[in-house]
Amino acid sequence: MKTATHNSYLESLAGRALLLLAFCWAATDVAADSRFAPVANDKWQAECGSCHLAYPPQLLPAVNWRNIMSRLDKHFGTDATLDVATAAAIRTFLESNAASGKRAAVSAGTLRMTETPWFLREHREVDARIWKSTAVKTAANCGACHTTASRGDFGERGIRMPR
Ligand code: HEC
Ligand code: HEC
């Protein structure tokens, strides 16, 4: 009898904890949004992370990834060609984890996430001078400001603005 009461007390505690968790989840929508689930793919990490950050797939919609992957020989002024099997595996990975929701509001021809409406909106307060500074050089250099970018974390706490 005593155990039963104890159990139901624990159960109601667990229920409350869940409710609280759900509430926090909803309240921290913005913070959750700046963290991209650390999806992992060895080929993608090795091949797409050798010249720059392996940009999280959640940053561009599937059609835009497809367009990037179909033109690797002319990749932003460089040749990033891969063998057919590796390219296909990476393409599948990118497409199946691609942007949805508000980050998907991008025209199909856009190859740069740094030109998407969400990127421009999130960065509208960054001084034009900083983008061109020697520490940053290009907006594509996420890690210059987002110190935790390689973990897929673009949250405010990881930001250190260069001077
Ligand atoms: C040989 C070097 C190299 C490799 C390998 C490479 N890239 Fe790039 N990538 C570049 C350069 C250079 C830029 C232009 C960066 C800039 O504008 O500062 C770029 C830019 C990009 C951008 C646009 C960044 C922006 O401005 O929003 C995306 C997206 C991208 N690469 C995806 C990939 C993917 C996916 C792979 C793997 C299949 C890959 N890259 C492999 C050199 C490379
Ligand atoms: C010059 C520094 C700088 C560079 C480079 C930069 N960012 Fe940011 N980023 C910021 C600042 C500052 C904010 C705004 C933080 C705020 O107002 O909450 C921000 C915000 C963001 C946010 C929203 C974070 C949130 O809490 O909602 C995302 C996502 C993001 N950046 C992604 C990127 C990606 C991806 C790249 C590279 C392609 C990049 N950023 C390059 C400085 C930078």
Side-chain angles (χ1 to χ4, degrees), residues 43-55 72 75-82 138 140-143:
K43 290 195 176 88
W44 162 73
Q45 187 64 56
E47 304 295 347
C48 305
S50 60
C51 297
H52 47 63
L53 176 78
Y55 302 121
L72 284 180
H75 183 75
F76 304 94
T78 179
D79 186 349
T81 310
L82 294 169
T138 154
N141 187 11
C142 321

Side-chain angles (χ1 to χ4, degrees), residues 65-148:
W65 284 126
R66 200 175 315 137
N67 290 336
I68 286 178
M69 294 307 291
S70 64
R71 287 173 227 171
L72 284 180
D73 57 326
K74 294 192 180 68
H75 183 75
F76 304 94
T78 179
D79 186 349
T81 310
L82 294 169
D83 66 80
V84 176
T86 307
I90 293 177
R91 201 185 86 169
T92 305
F93 166 74
L94 290 170
E95 286 185 29
S96 50
N97 293 289
S100 55
K102 63 180 182 184
R103 278 192 222 292
V106 174
S107 77
T110 304
L111 300 182
R112 286 185 181 272
M113 71 207 102
T114 53
E115 288 172 358
T116 60
W118 71 260
F119 187 94
L120 299 172
R121 192 174 54 241
E122 304 276 26
H123 296 89
R124 64 180 178 265
E125 277 163 27
V126 177
D127 198 293
R129 181 184 52 84
I130 295 178
W131 294 120
K132 302 264 182 269
S133 72
T134 48
V136 180
K137 293 192 189 77
T138 154
N141 187 11
C142 321
C145 308
H146 295 276
T147 60
T148 48

Side-chain angles (χ1 to χ4, degrees), residues 19-32:
L19 256 174
L20 191 69
L21 201 72
F23 178 75
C24 292
W25 183 262
T28 57
D29 187 39
V30 176

